[in-house]
Amino acid sequence: MDTDGTHETRPPHTGRIPRPLAPPPPGLPPRPSHAPTAGPTLADWLRFPRASDGPGVWTYGHVPRAAEEPQETPTRQLVSGALISLLAGVLLWSLLWNGYLGGFWLWPLYMFTPDSWAGTLPAVVASYVWYAVVATILLTGFGRLGRWPELGGRLLRGGASKTHPAVPAAPEAGSPEDPARWPQLRGAGLGEVADRLEGEAGGGRMNDVDYARIRRAWDSVRADPSRLRAFADAVRDKGAGACAHPSGARDLPVRAARHDLLARQVLLGTVDDGARNPYARRGTSLALDPEVLGTSLLAVGPSGSGKTGRLVRPVVESLALQALAGQAAVVAVGAAGAQLGPDAAYDVVVRVGDPASVYDLDLYGGATDPDEAAGLLAEAFVGDVPGIEVRRAATALAQLLGPFRAAHGRFPAVPELRELLDRVPAAVDGLRRALEDGGQQAMLRELDARQRQYGAHGDPGPALADRVALLDRPAFATFFNVGGFGTTGQGRPFSLRALEHPIRVRVDLPERAHADASRMLARLLLAQFSAAAAARTDRSLFAFLALDDASHTLTPQTVRGVQRLRSANAGVLLTLRTLDDVPEALRIPLLGAVGCRMAFSGVTTWDGKRFAEAWGTEWVETRDVTHRTVFADQPLTRAMHAFRKLVTGKAVTTDAVTVRQVERERWSASDLAHAVPPGHAVLSLTSVRGERAAPLLVRLAGTA
């Protein structure tokens, strides 16, 4: 039960819980330590209210706003109205006091005071009381007429008044709904277990990852009640360390972004408080979570715009924390040296081309079927080559992989595959003899078919051989181990079939020295991820692949694979410097395949045009003001107009206002290219449930 059904992927760490490098900033849950740290406690973080009114909203402390900006009277108009009503009130009081309106307003005084009071002190007191009543009535009436309370409140607040809806109520400490008391466990009769966890949180020995992980384990118990006893025993024995991740880690070595694991969100930035954004989203915090990442995200921006530090790193870090909580599996792919987090934040780090790499990369993605393996390799090898049909390339590879596996019980290593594609006589004859000795007649026919097709018109064999040659280099001699052929640093191949488990993986590609091979491997990883995510039997884990640079990695088949990830509880993050790095025929399908689109500051107008088309148009209200000069007929009026023009320097005009509804692009190509400030991006979101957020101008927070 400690691993919640997962398996070991690397030697466990020690039981030491990493201490925070600095006190947590306000609003963040505490990190575990032996003594409570300053700042909010875990219980306070759990009780803090969360609300959402659309995809991408940072729910922690969010206060929903009105859908439209309220119509407010200008302050100048309020002041003038208040002065006019004050003057009118003073004038009416003067008229009443001096008797210009008669004494009718004194009749209640005469009616309720006896004649014997005349000239006495009670009569004087009663008269002044009545004067005060009348003055109060006048002040109230003219005050409401002149909107004095609204003006006073606006002046006291120092600006325009704004509507602030009530903050969602937080559960009271110690109440039955208090999440820090684990009401779900108490409701199931596990009061002792709940007390243990409550004590761990109160003593500062539990952090947000522990809470999310144990709650995830409890969800698995609810799905399978047979795990109840093991769950209770694990919590009694280890407290907050129960149901630990296979690595033994309970947190990341360092966090570069702000996270809310209760909502599974990472804070990305703040929606710009400008007219380009909907009023309801202005000034609100924007976050990403599996609900929107499950529709996949495409980000385009030039080098230096912040794609890695402001987007990829925070998202990967969030998914790594969720993996420690048993909620996700994440694979981050980038060039060697990309700032995607320290090695200690991952369970598996594959450094392709580095002999010191502890892990190797399984070229066939854990596939055992020759046709499946051939399809994945064909997509990676020639998926970007114009004029070569991937289906024919897959058939050609299957005609070699199938016989080789039948003869040797494994797929060929890179040098062996290259020799077979190049028709090296010794390799082909050796394979033929092995098949004949084993009585593999069907596979002999496959091999003969490959031999007949070699050199024919449209044969993909030579192109496949050229692409395999990119991997048959001295730098990769110790990589792509297959069934014991060759050696790797530690002989530990990694396969994307491991997405069944909450694993954290980083793959470093030798982009600088072997650019073509790196792009080919990136295509291979994308194809393998799509196949592995869709083939999972247990899809409760959210599987995610982040490609820090997806240039020249997309093919028609991988774009179709991205579309199918939403139903498999998986998603991808693809970053590009420009859409020109994608074949022209795939640019529109790619924008349609992803649910989230992001344009960074500095995109070209050509890229902006594609985003503008994808985001479509909206109906907006426009006001056209026409100024017309007034020509007077009367001499006196003409003289007054001439004097006014002499003083102001402007002719007397009248304004004609025309209000109409027009259809305009949400963001034009020119606006995307020139109106997005540095450090900002325009982002549209779609959730897996179909909820949409219009393109928003966001000021990105970046990493700490």
Side-chain angles (χ1 to χ4, degrees):
M1 186 64 204
D2 284 354
T3 61
D4 192 19
T6 61
H7 70 288
E8 298 288 339
T9 57
R10 58 184 286 184
H13 293 282
T14 62
R16 181 182 63 85
I17 303 173
R19 291 178 177 272
L21 300 181
L28 285 179
R31 313 289 279 275
S33 63
H34 296 293
T37 58
T41 65
L42 178 66
D44 295 334
W45 173 73
L46 291 173
R47 298 188 195 107
F48 204 82
R50 291 166 172 81
S52 176
D53 51 5
V57 172
W58 174 255
T59 61
Y60 187 87
H62 174 68
V63 179
R65 303 180 63 183
E68 297 181 357
E69 186 173 6
Q71 298 294 329
E72 295 181 343
T73 305
T75 302
R76 180 186 297 179
Q77 185 175 341
L78 284 179
V79 172
S80 61
L83 289 176
I84 292 173
S85 64
L86 177 63
L87 293 176
V90 171
L91 177 61
L92 180 58
W93 174 256
S94 177
L95 294 176
L96 292 175
W97 182 264
N98 294 310
Y100 293 113
L101 298 181
F104 71 92
W105 62 287
L106 298 174
W107 67 266
L109 183 64
Y110 299 143
M111 179 177 294
F112 294 104
T113 57
D115 295 338
S116 61
W117 284 14
T120 64
L121 181 61
V124 174
V125 173
S127 62
Y128 277 103
V129 169
W130 177 243
Y131 296 156
V133 170
V134 173
T136 301
I137 294 174
L138 291 178
L139 284 173
T140 303
F142 282 96
R144 295 189 63 179
L145 183 64
R147 303 165 72 175
W148 296 353
E150 182 179 350
L151 176 61
R154 183 175 299 186
L155 293 178
L156 289 176
R157 285 188 293 267
S161 62
K162 295 184 179 180
T163 303
H164 294 281
V167 178
E172 297 182 1
S175 66
E177 296 80 17
D178 185 1
R181 302 193 68 241
W182 296 85
Q184 62 271 48
L185 299 184
R186 298 183 187 278
L190 299 178
E192 181 184 354
V193 175
D195 290 339
R196 174 67 190 275
L197 293 176
E198 184 179 1
E200 293 280 290
R205 295 181 295 275
M206 177 183 288
N207 67 352
D208 53 346
V209 177
D210 296 329
Y211 183 89
R213 186 186 66 252
I214 295 175
R215 192 178 70 168
R216 160 76 178 181
W218 172 247
D219 291 339
S220 69
V221 170
R222 294 174 59 188
D224 184 5
S226 65
R227 300 181 178 182
L228 179 60
R229 182 174 179 179
F231 171 80
D233 292 342
V235 174
R236 291 192 192 98
D237 183 36
K238 299 183 179 180
C243 312
H245 186 265
S247 66
R250 294 168 58 185
D251 202 351
L252 297 179
V254 63
R255 299 190 187 187
R258 184 176 174 183
H259 306 273
D260 182 7
L261 284 181
L262 197 61
R264 302 179 65 180
Q265 290 186 320
V266 56
L267 182 64
L268 202 65
T270 305
V271 179
D272 186 72
D273 192 9
R276 297 303 302 261
N277 291 322
Y279 177 75
R281 299 299 298 268
R282 296 176 192 171
T284 61
S285 298
L286 187 134
L288 297 179
D289 54 46
E291 280 290 308
V292 296
L293 293 175
T295 63
S296 298
L297 191 155
L298 172 67
V300 178
S303 299
S305 58
K307 299 188 297 298
T308 300
R310 300 176 187 268
L311 175 64
V312 181
R313 171 75 185 273
V315 169
V316 170
E317 185 177 271
S318 175
L319 271 298
L321 287 169
Q322 294 178 43
L324 291 179
Q327 299 171 334
V330 59
V331 180
V333 181
Q339 300 301 315
L340 298 180
D343 293 354
Y346 295 91
D347 304 308
V348 174
V349 177
V350 182
R351 295 186 177 90
V352 181
D354 185 354
S357 177
V358 176
Y359 287 91
D360 189 7
L361 187 64
D362 188 342
L363 192 66
Y364 299 97
T368 57
D369 180 74
D371 292 324
E372 179 185 359
L376 296 176
L377 288 181
E379 196 67 39
F381 289 162
V382 297
D384 65 327
V385 179
I388 295 184
E389 189 177 350
V390 175
R391 182 182 58 82
R392 293 193 63 182
T395 301
L397 284 171
Q399 290 170 342
L400 296 176
L401 298 182
F404 194 96
R405 183 174 179 82
H408 301 287
R410 61 176 176 84
F411 289 126
V414 170
E416 296 171 321
L417 181 58
R418 181 183 181 185
E419 290 178 348
L420 292 174
L421 288 170
D422 282 335
R423 294 182 65 193
V424 175
V428 176
D429 294 342
L431 178 57
R432 184 180 299 277
R433 285 193 300 269
L435 292 174
E436 291 173 348
D437 294 341
Q440 300 284 347
Q441 297 301 320
M443 292 303 170
L444 278 171
R445 289 193 295 270
E446 286 284 285
L447 185 60
D448 291 338
R450 173 87 290 268
Q451 295 298 102
R452 290 193 302 268
Q453 294 169 6
Y454 187 85
H457 177 70
D459 177 37
L464 289 170
D466 291 341
R467 288 305 178 92
V468 174
L470 295 175
L471 301 181
D472 190 20
R473 303 292 302 161
F476 307 131
T478 58
F479 278 84
F480 315 121
N481 179 31
V482 180
F485 182 91
T487 59
T488 56
Q490 298 290 332
R492 307 174 73 175
F494 166 73
S495 167
L496 283 176
R497 299 286 177 175
L499 293 178
E500 296 273 0
H501 309 284
I503 193 170
R504 304 165 295 164
V505 182
R506 193 187 78 211
V507 180
D508 295 342
L509 301 177
E511 177 68 30
R512 181 174 300 177
H514 303 275
D516 291 336
S518 296
R519 293 167 184 169
M520 191 166 62
L521 291 174
R523 282 195 300 273
L524 178 63
L525 289 168
L526 180 56
Q528 289 181 353
F529 176 85
S530 300
R536 293 182 300 165
T537 55
D538 181 8
R539 296 182 177 180
S540 59
L541 292 179
F542 177 67
F544 193 75
L545 171 69
L547 276 176
D548 188 43
D549 184 4
S551 302
H552 306 288
T553 63
L554 294 163
T555 65
Q557 183 61 33
T558 54
V559 171
R560 287 190 290 268
V562 169
Q563 289 178 313
R564 293 191 291 265
L565 290 176
R566 184 182 307 190
S567 61
N569 193 24
V572 296
L573 167 58
L574 308 171
T575 67
L576 296 168
R577 286 184 288 271
T578 172
L579 285 174
D580 291 339
D581 291 335
V582 179
E584 185 175 0
L586 290 180
R587 294 169 193 170
I588 294 178
L590 175 61
L591 287 168
V594 298
C596 306
R597 310 174 187 97
M598 192 171 186
F600 279 77
S601 172
V603 298
T604 64
T605 52
W606 294 273
D607 288 342
K609 179 181 178 181
R610 296 298 186 187
F611 277 97
E613 292 173 350
W615 284 328
T617 59
E618 63 179 346
W619 289 96
V620 297
E621 184 180 277
T622 62
R623 299 170 62 89
D624 297 329
V625 181
T626 304
H627 304 284
R628 294 184 298 180
T629 303
V630 177
F631 297 97
D633 296 331
Q634 301 298 325
L636 179 60
T637 306
R638 285 199 299 270
M640 294 177 60
H641 286 184
F643 177 76
R644 180 176 175 180
K645 183 177 182 181
L646 180 64
V647 173
T648 63
K650 297 180 181 179
V652 178
T653 60
T654 59
D655 297 339
V657 181
T658 303
V659 180
R660 58 180 178 174
Q661 295 284 334
V662 297
E663 190 175 12
R664 287 184 178 174
E665 291 179 325
R666 299 178 186 272
W667 278 85
S668 68
S670 179
D671 288 340
L672 289 172
H674 306 293
V676 180
H680 289 63
V682 180
L683 170 65
S684 67
L685 299 173
T686 303
S687 73
V688 292
R689 294 192 299 268
E691 300 174 299
R692 296 180 181 273
L696 302 171
L697 178 61
V698 181
R699 178 172 54 84
L700 301 173
T703 55

